[in-house]
Structure formats: C-alpha cells, structure tokens
Amino acid sequence: MTEADQSAVASGVRDTEAPEEEEAGSAGYEEGVTDLLAALAYGELSAFDRLAEDSREAPTLTGRAALASMAAAEMGHFRLLQDKLSERGVAVEDAMRPFAAPFDAFNASTAPHSWLESLVKAYVGDGLAADFYREVANWLDPETRELVLTVLSDTGHSAFAEREVSAACAEDDSLRDRLTLWGRRLLGEAVTQAQWVVAERDALSELIIRGSGDLAGIGSLLRRLQNNQNKRMSRLGLG
Amino acid sequence: MTEADQSAVASGVRDTEAPEEEEAGSAGYEEGVTDLLAALAYGELSAFDRLAEDSREAPTLTGRAALASMAAAEMGHFRLLQDKLSERGVAVEDAMRPFAAPFDAFNASTAPHSWLESLVKAYVGDGLAADFYREVANWLDPETRELVLTVLSDTGHSAFAEREVSAACAEDDSLRDRLTLWGRRLLGEAVTQAQWVVAERDALSELIIRGSGDLAGIGSLLRRLQNNQNKRMSRLGLG
C-alpha cells in the first residue's frame, strides 16, 4: 500500500483529535457493531456468490464440489450473523443494504478472467478482509468478538488456493508475474472500496477510530495489513 | 405423460419378463445402489448450481439470501452422499461422472428466461425427482432408504416457490398460461433424460425393474408420478 493510499484511508475515517469515549452498550457503539455485522453478512453472501460462480468454472468435478462446499460453509456463517442481527432487532437485509454497492463495485472492478485469477482473488480478498475484521474484533465486547472470529474461520478455500496457484506458477514465470500484478491490483481496489465504506458509515468509522486510538494507530493497522498481504502473496508463490 | 412417453421409458429400462432375484448385498444390487447415490449426488450439485444462479437473479436481498441458503442446504445433502459413497469405497466424482451429461442436457434444454420460470423449474424438477427416488427407496435396504429419504427432504424451496408463483399468477392469466406450458415442457424433458439414464445404466435399470416387478408395475409408477405432477402444478396455481 502506498503512503497516498494510507492517507486516503485515514482521511476516509475523518480527522478527529479526541474521539469521545463510548462504552459497549452506548448507542454509537451498538450502531457501529450493527454495521460491522451487516458488512460481514454481505461479505459472506458475496463470497457465496463468487465461490458458486467459480465452482461452475472449475476444471474438474472434484474442484467443482470442493468450491460448492466452501460456498455452502459461507452461508453457515451468514446464518449466524443473520441470527445475531435479528436478536439485536435488525433484519439482515435492511442492515446489509448500504454495503451492497461498495462490495459489488469491488467485485465488478475485479472480475477475474481465469480460474487462477479467481482463486487468487478469493484468497487475497478473504485474507485481507479477515485481517481487518480480526483487528476490529479486539475492540469489541467478548460475545460479539467471539461471533466475529467464528465467521472468519477459513472454509477450506485457503489450502485449496495455495495448492492450485503455487502448482500452476511453479513452472510458468510469466503466469507468476501476471498473477502478482493481479494480487497488487486487488489490494488497491479493496482499499478504495474500504475507504468509501468507512467514509459513509459514521458509527463504523467511530468504532475504528476509537479502537485504533488515533491516526497513528490507523497507520500501524494499515502497515500490519500490508505485511500480512505480502506474506499471503508469498504463500501463493507470488510477490 | 402420454402413453408414448410411458412406453418410451418402459423400453428404456429394457423388456425383461422374469428379472432374476437379487438380494441386498449381491454385486448387481450394490452396483445399482452406487448408481442411485451417485445420481442423487450429481442432482444435489446441479441443484446447488441452479439455486446459486437463481439467487443472483433474485429481485430482493431477502430472496437472494433465501435461495443462497437453500443452495447451501443442498450441499449438506451432497456431503452425506459423498460420505456414504466413500464408505462403499467409491469416490463421489468418479461415481457421478456418467450422470453429468444427462443432467446437464436437461438443464441446458430448459434454461429459464425469467425469475418465475426458474422457480417453477426448481419446484417441478425437484418434486418429480423426489417422487421418483422415494419410489425407488421402497426397494432398498433400510439404511440406504433412510439416507435417500434424508437427502430428499425439502430445503425450504417449495413453500418459497408456491408463495411467489401463485402471487404472481393470481392477477395475470397470460403469465399463468405461459408458466403452465413451461411446467409441461419440463416434465417432457425430464422424462427424455431419465429414459437416457436408465437405458445407459444396467445396474440401475435392473434395480428399477426388480423393484417395480414388471412392465405393468413401471406403468403404475409412471401414473403415480404424473398424478403428483398435476397436484404440484395446482399448488403453484397452474395447470
């Protein structure tokens, strides 16, 4: 991530010197949590969609069944989030609605052109999202934190993607270079859309600012995300 | 179903006057059961695919999440069949392979052109398949029968389709007529493909002939399927 990206994200979450303290249970906190759960829920629904589509393109019946099973597991996570939101008196479809546009924009701007591109996209996109949500989970009440960590558990896609992508790149340098550029582009697009989300959702941006402490805190969060992204690319045999 | 359809299916399962008795546990029986479980498994994978695709076309976020959850439930059934086949020493992808072509041909020849056509297709197709498998389940050993009945359990799609289709047809006669013709065409295509499957798979056709007793037995089976199909169309507000 470039310095410019980082400051763009930082300005997306607003420049606030002294965020007022809000406890778990306060209206602002609760609204932020609802937003977070709703963003996660729409993310699961999108992941289902993308994995189901990839499953159709899989070159073998084994791959097709494996991806379809992973898609199904995402809906198991979706169900947990739906139930939690419903306990909070919120219908999941209403809560998700504001997140549909930025998630769909990310997917439209990064439509994969091959089976390997779609594997890299799922791996990088899910990994980045999981890292981000895991950071946010640290700032939540224990019950919500536990739910967030549960729905972030990997559905088996990662090992599958690592195996397929490294095998394909091991003997094809030009493929490896193309997929490396693809991975970087995905990161850039994800940052653009994340910035949009955070800028639009006041309660969510408050949650993040309060959690990370200040702009310096957000800067280190972004550096941790970038480091993890580099490691992920290496595990795919890219980078 | 016309008389011609019936005799076509009957000839598909071969003309045999005195099927030799085979017990559960015999090689022929076991091969027939493997075929049956494999056909069911590919059916679940196809249903997943179709529901996932329909979910993408759903006019509301609520409909989208509902169809995605049903697709996920089909993969739960798929998993049970995969485990059972694996206990029998068969890899699900190998066992399913012969069924891919006829199932895919059915889906290609009946690609829906609207959201309502796809709801009717799922409802009619699943209902017909479930009726057929339930008949076959009567001829199986208790353990296999229980598995077959479990994976046939409705994933919630039926009530959803009945609600959406009857509501849409209640105030639009020409839509009702078009969807009625569509339902009849689906039945015809399903019979054509089922006939192909049974004609190609000796062990499966033996299982059916032995179970139904003789050609007269197959005739009454087909009449029961037709009757249930008529009832299903009425429940959709069609027919």
Side-chain angles (χ1 to χ4, degrees):
Chain A
M1 196 178 296
T2 63
E3 293 287 316
D5 282 336
Q6 294 191 8
S7 84
V9 174
S11 79
V13 296
R14 277 96 200 267
D15 200 329
T16 167
E17 304 268 277
E20 67 272 45
E21 275 301 311
E22 277 187 309
E23 300 288 315
S26 76
Y29 174 81
E30 295 302 332
E31 204 186 316
V33 167
T34 294
D35 264 4
L36 186 73
L37 299 177
L40 275 163
Y42 196 78
E44 298 287 356
L45 196 53
S46 295
F48 164 84
D49 221 34
R50 196 192 55 215
L51 288 166
E53 183 123 40
D54 290 350
S55 130
R56 201 168 298 130
E57 303 300 319
T60 63
L61 262 183
T62 312
R64 179 171 160 198
L67 286 168
S69 298
M70 292 169 204
E74 305 286 353
M75 290 311 293
H77 294 164
F78 176 85
R79 178 63 175 274
L80 294 175
L81 293 160
Q82 178 176 32
D83 290 348
K84 183 69 175 179
L85 283 163
S86 157
E87 271 174 37
R88 300 170 67 87
V90 185
V92 66
E93 54 269 29
D94 297 333
M96 286 191 304
R97 201 157 289 123
F99 299 99
F103 277 77
D104 293 351
F106 171 74
N107 281 319
S109 68
T110 57
H113 295 97
S114 70
W115 166 245
L116 290 167
E117 279 193 7
S118 63
L119 288 181
V120 171
K121 176 175 168 179
Y123 186 84
V124 162
D126 292 355
L128 199 61
D131 280 346
F132 171 74
Y133 289 121
R134 245 178 236 119
E135 294 270 352
V136 177
N138 289 327
W139 313 324
L140 302 174
D141 60 280
E143 198 194 326
T144 312
R145 175 163 57 237
E146 202 187 329
L147 172 65
V148 169
L149 296 178
T150 301
V151 303
L152 291 181
S153 70
D154 185 50
T155 59
H157 187 275
S158 297
F160 183 81
E162 284 171 15
R163 212 166 43 234
E164 298 268 323
V165 176
S166 344
C169 291
E171 40 203 35
D172 186 340
D173 282 349
S174 98
L175 176 65
R176 184 176 172 280
D177 293 346
R178 283 203 309 280
L179 290 176
T180 300
L181 287 177
W182 174 243
R184 289 193 194 135
R185 206 185 119 213
L186 291 167
L187 178 64
E189 293 286 341
V191 168
T192 303
Q193 296 303 328
Q195 175 190 354
W196 191 95
V197 169
V198 172
E200 287 290 312
R201 306 299 298 173
D202 288 355
L204 190 59
S205 71
E206 286 299 315
L207 193 71
I208 293 169
I209 292 167
R210 201 170 320 112
S212 47
D214 54 20
L215 287 184
I218 291 180
S220 15
L221 185 157
L222 290 171
R223 272 189 299 281
R224 287 194 297 276
L225 294 183
Q226 171 74 69
N227 282 341
N228 284 342
Q229 165 75 0
N230 294 344
K231 286 182 203 152
R232 248 188 312 273
M233 294 287 278
S234 306
R235 279 197 298 272
L236 287 176
L238 308 175
Chain B
M1 196 177 298
T2 64
E3 293 287 317
D5 282 338
Q6 293 189 11
S7 83
V9 173
S11 78
V13 296
R14 277 93 198 270
D15 201 329
T16 169
E17 304 268 276
E20 66 271 45
E21 276 300 311
E22 277 189 309
E23 302 286 316
S26 77
Y29 174 81
E30 295 303 331
E31 203 186 318
V33 167
T34 295
D35 264 4
L36 186 74
L37 299 177
L40 275 162
Y42 195 78
E44 298 288 356
L45 196 53
S46 294
F48 165 84
D49 221 35
R50 196 193 55 214
L51 288 166
E53 183 123 40
D54 290 351
S55 131
R56 202 168 297 130
E57 302 301 319
T60 63
L61 261 182
T62 312
R64 179 171 160 199
L67 285 168
S69 298
M70 292 169 204
E74 305 286 353
M75 290 311 293
H77 294 164
F78 175 85
R79 180 60 176 276
L80 294 174
L81 292 160
Q82 179 176 33
D83 290 349
K84 181 70 176 177
L85 283 164
S86 156
E87 271 174 38
R88 298 170 68 85
V90 185
V92 66
E93 54 270 27
D94 297 332
M96 288 191 303
R97 201 159 289 122
F99 300 98
F103 277 77
D104 293 352
F106 171 74
N107 282 320
S109 69
T110 57
H113 295 97
S114 71
W115 166 243
L116 289 168
E117 280 193 5
S118 63
L119 288 182
V120 171
K121 175 175 170 179
Y123 185 84
V124 162
D126 292 354
L128 199 61
D131 280 346
F132 171 74
Y133 289 121
R134 247 180 234 114
E135 293 270 354
V136 177
N138 289 326
W139 314 324
L140 302 175
D141 60 282
E143 199 194 325
T144 311
R145 175 161 60 237
E146 202 188 327
L147 172 64
V148 170
L149 296 177
T150 301
V151 302
L152 291 180
S153 69
D154 185 49
T155 58
H157 187 274
S158 296
F160 184 81
E162 286 171 15
R163 211 165 47 234
E164 298 268 323
V165 176
S166 347
C169 291
E171 39 201 34
D172 186 340
D173 282 348
S174 97
L175 176 65
R176 185 174 171 282
D177 293 344
R178 281 203 309 280
L179 290 177
T180 300
L181 287 177
W182 173 243
R184 289 192 194 133
R185 208 186 117 213
L186 292 168
L187 177 64
E189 294 286 341
V191 167
T192 304
Q193 296 304 328
Q195 176 191 350
W196 190 95
V197 168
V198 172
E200 287 290 312
R201 304 301 296 174
D202 289 354
L204 189 59
S205 70
E206 286 298 317
L207 193 71
I208 294 169
I209 293 166
R210 201 170 319 113
S212 47
D214 54 19
L215 287 184
I218 292 182
S220 17
L221 185 157
L222 290 171
R223 273 189 299 281
R224 288 194 295 278
L225 294 182
Q226 171 75 69
N227 283 342
N228 283 342
Q229 165 75 359
N230 294 343
K231 287 183 201 151
R232 247 189 309 274
M233 293 289 277
S234 307
R235 281 197 295 273
L236 287 176
L238 307 175

